[in-house]
Amino acid sequence: MSHKRMPKRKAAIAVGGVAALGAAALLLPNAMASQDKSGTNAAGTLGTARTLKASDASGLAAQVQKILGDTFAGSYYDSAKQQLVVNVVNGDSNTIVQAKNAGAVVRQVNNSTKALKSAAATLKTKATIPGTSWAVDPRTDKILVSADSTVTGAKWNRLQSTVQSLGSGMATLKKSAGKFSTFVAGGDAIFAQTQQGGVRCSLGFNVTASDGSPAFLTAGHCGVAAKAWSDSQNGQPIATVDQAKFPGNDFSLVKYNDKTTQTSSTVNAGNGQTVQITKAADATVGETVFRMGSTTGLHNGQVTGLDATVNFASETVPGGTDTVNGLIQTNVCAEAGDSGGSLFTQDGSAVGLTSGGSGDCTSGGETFFQPVTAALQATGATLGNGGNGGGAGGQSSSSAAPSASASDPSGAGGQSGSSADPSASATDPSASATDPSGSGAGNQSGSGAGDQSGTGTGDPSGSGSSASGSGSAGDGSSLTATR
């Protein structure tokens, strides 16, 4: 990972830092997507259903939710048909017709949003066990509950009993071969030193703090682990943590020490390519997303659940649990060192920050992400150089020196590369992150949940993209702590 210093750090760590792809139009053709092959088809009359991009699905979902009111029971994007599917419980014919006229595919389901939330609350009360996670899957109209390899004996019996108590058709329980852990390592790497050793994370997205200072977002467990961060393994600190939240949430706001630092609103996609980030957006179940990390590079897959809860085994409190709520669940792989890295869409929307998961990028995995919109709202930061959180700030990469991009482990940082397709470097062969064996909720910091020191290599079974995908595809914004 090479970082050339520019006068007054005119082009400091860019979330990429090479030639930018305006709309990332070429992301998909060459990417090896980990698509969800279960493909639940929506039952319902297609009629007036609109064909739309995944990035437009959340807006339509919000519109239809207002129409349906309490009968709305979730939605997801059918990528095969490019349509929004909306779940309805006991909806009257008039509102259903309005929802269809708005452009959604409507299907009747059994579980209401209220019932699903109540079930999740029961899980929280009775089954907050290290190594477990749950999230609502609108495609099945159930809560998907996962347990990693550490949940055995009495703990497994307790979890199984709790799921059964929710009633038939309310939840699905699956066993993961891996271990849920945080992965402190990522795309374009940044480094820190702690009493326990070196920490490496990935920079997520460059932002402007509420006081106008240049800054970036990364994982909260990285910010809790260390305060001072460098863009080279043994270099001097260039940024200091201003805010860090973990557990509960998983985000940090890190301010550049040099207030004259000029940043770029791009994500490094490897091979001299970057993706221009133009706005922040909420995730939609079923949409295709891309993840960049310093350990495994560029990988992609689909959003499989929202508002997920993950219970990491605490590394600071023996026998304790570090619970993180409100996460985005995906079948994208990740590995140790990818923590804090960027999750984004083909059209340049910033979606999430790598938190944790299980599995790897050889056999497949499951990874959870902190929503960017929530992190921006909580910290008061805006994307780019003063853009609003909803998406201004997509500065041209020409404003940032390629070499200034967050340290790329492969040393690809200083390329002037053309605006090629970042996904061309995506190397997720397994990609179907629904591999139960790779479903752990590991923290991308690379070792157990919350091990901020990140000195280890993380859970071997942990999710993460294969190290073979590392290199040029480091996410300029991701923080990676090698544990």
Side-chain angles (χ1 to χ4, degrees):
M1 161 178 87
S2 61
H3 291 279
K4 297 177 184 177
R5 298 298 177 122
M6 306 297 290
K8 294 185 179 180
R9 285 201 57 84
K10 208 170 180 181
I13 300 182
V15 186
V18 249
L21 288 175
L26 299 177
L27 272 173
L28 290 173
N30 300 308
M32 301 180 69
S34 51
Q35 305 263 339
D36 178 6
K37 300 301 182 182
S38 63
T40 304
N41 291 322
T45 304
L46 297 182
T48 57
R50 287 170 48 191
T51 296
L52 71 167
K53 297 184 297 182
S55 57
D56 296 326
S58 59
L60 178 57
Q63 177 185 348
V64 173
Q65 183 174 4
K66 290 181 179 179
I67 294 173
L68 295 172
D70 292 339
T71 65
F72 176 83
S75 63
Y76 66 93
Y77 181 69
D78 185 334
S79 57
K81 297 179 180 178
Q82 295 184 307
Q83 295 171 336
L84 178 73
V85 181
V86 175
N87 295 335
V88 177
V89 175
N90 299 324
D92 65 70
S93 58
N94 182 47
T95 55
I96 289 178
V97 168
Q98 291 182 56
K100 289 180 178 179
N101 287 340
V105 175
V106 177
R107 69 170 190 172
Q108 295 281 351
V109 296
N110 296 320
N111 296 323
S112 66
T113 298
K114 182 178 180 180
L116 291 168
K117 286 185 176 181
S118 176
T122 297
L123 287 166
K124 180 178 180 180
T125 301
K126 298 182 178 180
T128 296
I129 301 168
T132 61
S133 71
W134 51 82
V136 174
D137 181 0
R139 294 170 299 181
T140 61
D141 187 41
K142 295 179 182 179
I143 295 178
L144 175 60
V145 183
S146 299
D148 71 13
S149 59
T150 67
V151 183
T152 59
K155 292 180 180 179
W156 170 258
N157 293 337
R158 173 182 157 195
L159 179 63
Q160 189 175 47
S161 175
T162 302
V163 170
Q164 292 174 346
S165 73
L166 300 177
S168 176
M170 182 60 71
T172 300
L173 175 61
K174 80 172 180 180
K175 189 77 171 177
S176 259
K179 176 184 177 181
F180 290 177
S181 60
T182 52
F183 302 127
V184 181
D188 279 354
I190 60 174
F191 302 85
Q193 293 295 321
T194 69
Q195 293 182 344
Q196 291 75 30
V199 179
R200 174 184 143 195
C201 280
S202 297
L203 188 154
F205 299 97
N206 280 318
V207 298
T208 299
S210 58
D211 63 358
S213 302
F216 60 84
L217 293 175
T218 189
H221 60 268
C222 296
V224 169
K227 297 300 181 184
W229 291 88
S230 172
D231 57 353
S232 61
Q233 190 161 6
N234 297 307
Q236 292 298 311
I238 64 165
T240 304
V241 174
D242 180 70
Q243 301 177 47
K245 179 65 175 177
F246 181 86
N249 298 114
D250 197 359
F251 61 82
S252 292
L253 176 69
V254 187
K255 292 183 178 180
Y256 290 104
N257 296 337
D258 184 350
K259 303 304 181 184
T260 65
T261 296
Q262 295 180 13
T263 61
S264 173
S265 201
T266 54
V267 170
N268 186 355
N271 296 330
Q273 307 164 13
T274 62
V275 174
Q276 191 78 32
I277 299 300
T278 60
K279 62 181 179 180
D282 292 323
T284 299
V285 171
E287 74 175 322
T288 296
V289 287
F290 297 83
R291 178 197 60 74
M292 195 62 198
S294 62
T295 298
T296 58
L298 183 68
H299 288 271
N300 64 298
Q302 288 187 328
V303 175
T304 58
L306 300 176
D307 198 20
T309 294
V310 183
N311 299 302
F312 296 113
S314 176
E315 295 190 357
T316 57
V317 180
T321 304
D322 288 334
T323 299
V324 183
N325 303 304
L327 299 179
I328 301 165
Q329 185 171 5
T330 74
N331 60 17
V332 184
C333 69
E335 294 179 6
D338 287 332
S339 276
S342 318
L343 184 72
F344 58 99
T345 63
Q346 184 183 11
D347 67 352
S349 296
V351 176
L353 304 168
T354 305
S355 176
S358 69
D360 56 43
C361 288
T362 298
S363 61
E366 180 175 36
T367 305
F368 298 83
F369 298 83
Q370 164 68 49
V372 165
T373 51
L376 290 173
Q377 182 176 13
T379 60
T382 53
L383 275 178
N385 188 14
N388 60 50
Q395 290 90 354
S396 165
S397 64
S398 61
S399 65
S403 60
S405 66
S407 46
D408 183 351
S410 67
Q415 301 144 345
S416 61
S418 62
S419 59
D421 178 5
S423 67
S425 61
T427 56
D428 185 1
S430 63
S432 82
T434 51
D435 178 6
S437 64
S439 75
N443 179 331
Q444 309 313 349
S445 61
S447 70
D451 176 2
Q452 309 319 339
S453 64
T455 55
T457 55
D459 178 8
S461 64
S463 84
S465 37
S466 165
S468 64
S470 74
S472 54
D475 178 351
S477 64
S478 50
L479 291 175
T480 63
T482 37
R483 297 175 177 271

